[in-house]
Amino acid sequence: MPTVREAVYELLRGWRMTTIFGNPGSNELPFLSDFPSDFRYVLGLHEGVVVGMADGYAQATGRTVLVNLHSAAGVGNAMGALVNARFGRSPLVVTAGQQARPMITLEALLTNVHATRLPEPLVKWSYEPPRAEDVPAAISRAVHTASLPPRGPVFVSVPLDDWSTDVDREQLELLRERRVDAPGVLEEGAVRRLARRIDRAENPVFVVGSEVDTGGAFQDAVRLAEKSRMPVWVAPSGYRCPFPTDHPCFRGVLPIGMKSLAECLRGHDLVLVAGAPVFRYHAYEPGRYLPPGASLIALTQDPEEAARAPFGEALLVDVPSALRQLAGAVSHSGRPEPEPLPRPAPAPQSLPLSPGAVYDVLDDVLPEGTIFVNESTVDKEIFWERVRMRQPGSYYFAAAGGLGFGMPAAVGVKMALPERPVVAVIGDGSAQYSIQALWSAANYGVPVTFVILRNESYAVLEWFGGVLGTGDVPGTELPGIDTTKLAGGYGVAARRVETTKELAAALKDALSSGAPDLIEVPVGRP
């Protein structure tokens, strides 16, 4: 009979989950002992980096990923990164080693006393099998739970002495053959009714969310917008780019306040939202949810989002399938075609460079198909205005706004999609949350280009302080951090540039180097 360890590796092979991200401890050694040659173990020096890499890898591949952490301490260190994974709906199976079963009641050293409670509410499901023989079934359930809509991380605690226990071969075969599916496709009559409402609207508008990109519906969203001649906004607080930013229908990213968002939708009588919460605000700005005379229909695959929205209609469907059906069902509209937005004027070349000037260079120099991982939070609106993204899977941002996502996620994305250039645009404050990701990039030879915007502050806090009217607050200044020297210590080539000409040359060199590279650019504060 196979052991629990053998059974789990066999199941993981069947699910194509042969890349494992982790930072091991003593409780995990029985699982990792005699590690199979057809698996890859990717080490991170901090659990936040481990989960961040797995998050980026899962989003880029679209597959469920196994994460291996160490007891309570490892899970605790990963909690900040799990916030992003949960909001980003990344299908992660997070495992953590538990103390041996005879030692749990004694609360011996490295016992995870409240194992299943610790990662909540950041996981969809949290479990510690009651018997060693139940571990393969628990892992199987975890994989399916993480993969079903809405996708997201799950957690399984495994006592270290479980891995050597025998399991029944017949039960293992049943687990191998098991398939779980949730189509959620609109029936034909519902498609016709919804298409008719779009056709009959005088001035409809289309709001697309990150799930359009994660679900592979990028081109269907374009087709629907073009046929119905709807202007397109990206939902606020988006973590992916669900529509080409230089398309004539594109209007930008909706603001994060109620009043401002409603003002952007003024004049529209129908708001069709696909793959986004309705709506994910940030700054408190009292006002109407929608402009007068507007109705809203939301297509979502998240029952919690459908129930939570305080206005409009919601259809619980598979969003990519629904968009594909609607794109085929709507009529070619006689409404005027949306006028393309004018390109912003070139940013001034004064020193230090403005973020806009940096983004102009990125847009001019980087090749078509470049993937951007953005964690320069204070100027993300400027990024969206100036950097053209035309292909699916071109943009990643921390789904929950938690800092520390960008650098490790870029490493994971590049590992998953080695054929596309990956550029991480990171604020110097954000970089300090996961600077250890540089070691993993160097150690595994992952050729990510890190562009660090150095303004020596948590500038986004200064900006938000202005929104809140708080005045000066302590703890926002970050003088004296030399990211180029930190990069050198981790084995990554690095340089500082000051002009657009130097930046353009450095970007070209970095992309052709075949190795991770870091470019630090002093910038003024927006």
Side-chain angles (χ1 to χ4, degrees):
M1 289 193 295
T3 63
V4 167
R5 177 187 170 281
E6 292 167 342
V8 169
Y9 278 119
E10 189 172 335
L11 291 171
L12 293 173
R13 286 189 186 93
W15 296 318
R16 296 193 302 156
M17 293 173 59
T18 55
T19 294
I20 298 172
F21 294 83
N23 183 280
S26 55
N27 290 1
E28 291 68 48
L29 295 181
F31 170 62
L32 299 174
S33 176
D34 298 321
F35 193 69
S37 60
D38 57 328
F39 279 67
R40 175 171 59 165
Y41 191 91
V42 180
L43 173 66
L45 300 189
H46 182 274
E47 288 83 351
V49 170
V50 170
V51 174
M53 288 192 291
D55 189 349
Y57 190 86
Q59 288 196 46
T61 60
R63 298 202 303 268
T64 304
V65 175
L66 189 74
V67 176
N68 184 237
L69 303 180
H70 175 52
S71 191
V75 177
N77 284 343
M79 292 292 277
L82 273 176
V83 177
N84 287 322
R86 179 62 190 265
F87 278 82
R89 294 185 178 144
S90 292
L92 306 182
V93 175
V94 179
T95 61
Q98 174 65 287
Q99 186 46 281
R101 286 186 182 270
M103 302 284 279
I104 294 174
T105 303
L106 301 176
E107 296 189 9
L109 188 66
L110 300 183
T111 299
N112 192 347
V113 179
H114 302 293
T116 59
R117 289 166 52 191
L118 180 59
E120 293 178 342
L122 302 179
V123 293
K124 292 176 61 180
W125 183 63
S126 187
Y127 196 64
E128 186 175 275
R131 304 179 306 154
E133 298 88 339
D134 298 326
V135 170
I139 297 294
S140 174
R141 180 178 173 182
V143 170
H144 293 306
T145 301
S147 305
L148 285 171
R151 290 159 45 133
V154 297
F155 176 80
V156 181
S157 170
V158 183
L160 65 89
D161 52 341
D162 285 5
W163 296 106
S164 59
T165 302
D166 291 337
V167 297
D168 183 75
R169 168 58 69 177
E170 184 178 353
Q171 293 299 316
L172 176 58
E173 290 300 321
L174 291 174
L175 291 175
R176 289 183 57 212
E177 295 168 4
R178 187 167 181 259
R179 298 291 181 270
V180 178
D181 193 21
V185 177
L186 282 173
E187 56 93 14
E188 188 175 340
V191 174
R192 286 198 304 268
R193 288 190 295 272
L194 185 51
R196 197 155 47 237
R197 290 184 65 176
I198 297 170
D199 291 341
R200 292 176 177 176
E202 291 187 11
N203 190 14
V205 63
F206 191 16
V207 178
V208 287
S210 299
E211 288 177 15
V212 171
D213 190 46
T214 62
F218 191 93
Q219 298 300 342
D220 291 313
V222 171
R223 193 158 63 100
L224 176 57
E226 290 177 345
K227 283 185 70 177
S228 58
R229 294 186 173 178
M230 288 189 289
V232 177
W233 288 90
V234 173
S237 303
Y239 56 92
R240 298 285 285 268
C241 178
F243 201 86
T245 60
D246 61 350
H247 192 282
C249 292
F250 182 71
R251 286 296 171 268
V253 182
L254 286 171
I256 55 178
M258 288 180 284
K259 182 179 179 181
S260 299
L261 189 153
E263 189 60 34
C264 288
L265 301 179
R266 183 174 294 278
H268 295 289
D269 56 338
L270 177 65
V271 183
L272 176 67
V273 182
V278 179
F279 282 109
R280 197 157 174 226
Y281 307 108
H282 184 193
Y284 181 58
E285 186 189 55
R288 296 178 61 100
Y289 291 123
L290 290 174
S295 60
L296 180 143
I297 303 170
L299 306 178
T300 179
Q301 54 198 33
D302 186 339
E304 292 184 4
E305 284 181 2
R308 186 174 66 240
F311 58 96
E313 303 172 40
L315 295 175
L316 195 62
V317 295
D318 177 74
V319 171
S321 298
L323 289 182
R324 186 165 52 252
Q325 291 172 288
L326 278 177
V330 296
S331 303
H332 288 276
S333 176
R335 289 183 285 263
E337 293 186 14
E339 292 289 334
L341 293 175
R343 290 290 301 160
Q349 299 294 302
S350 57
L351 298 180
L353 294 175
S354 67
V358 173
Y359 296 149
D360 284 348
V361 174
L362 298 184
D363 186 66
D364 182 58
V365 170
L366 295 176
E368 180 77 17
T370 295
I371 295 173
F372 297 94
V373 182
N374 186 6
E375 198 167 273
S376 182
T377 56
V378 71
D379 47 48
K380 59 181 182 295
E381 288 80 9
I382 302 172
F383 180 95
W384 279 91
E385 290 171 357
R386 293 183 176 272
V387 177
R388 286 170 283 194
M389 296 175 283
R390 303 181 178 94
Q391 295 185 17
S394 292
Y395 181 80
Y396 295 79
F397 188 83
L403 297 182
F405 166 83
M407 297 186 77
V411 177
V413 169
K414 183 62 178 178
M415 292 177 72
L417 301 171
E419 71 281 0
R420 292 181 66 176
V422 174
V423 175
V425 181
I426 312 291
D428 56 345
S430 299
Q432 306 314 312
Y433 283 76
S434 55
I435 195 73
Q436 306 96 326
L438 293 175
W439 180 88
S440 295
N443 190 58
Y444 295 103
V446 185
V448 174
T449 300
F450 300 92
V451 178
I452 307 297
L453 304 189
R454 179 175 179 172
N455 57 29
E456 299 192 345
S457 71
Y458 292 127
V460 70
L461 293 181
E462 296 174 348
W463 169 82
F464 207 74
V467 174
L468 298 176
T470 56
D472 292 336
V473 296
T476 63
E477 298 292 330
L478 296 173
I481 298 177
D482 190 334
T483 313
T484 62
K485 291 182 179 178
L486 292 173
Y490 282 116
V492 173
R495 74 206 85 178
R496 180 178 298 126
V497 301
E498 294 187 350
T499 68
T500 55
K501 184 177 180 180
E502 291 172 345
L503 175 58
L507 285 169
K508 292 174 183 177
D509 289 345
L511 290 177
S512 63
S513 70
D517 203 300
L518 185 142
I519 304 167
E520 184 182 85
V521 190
V523 294
R525 300 180 189 180

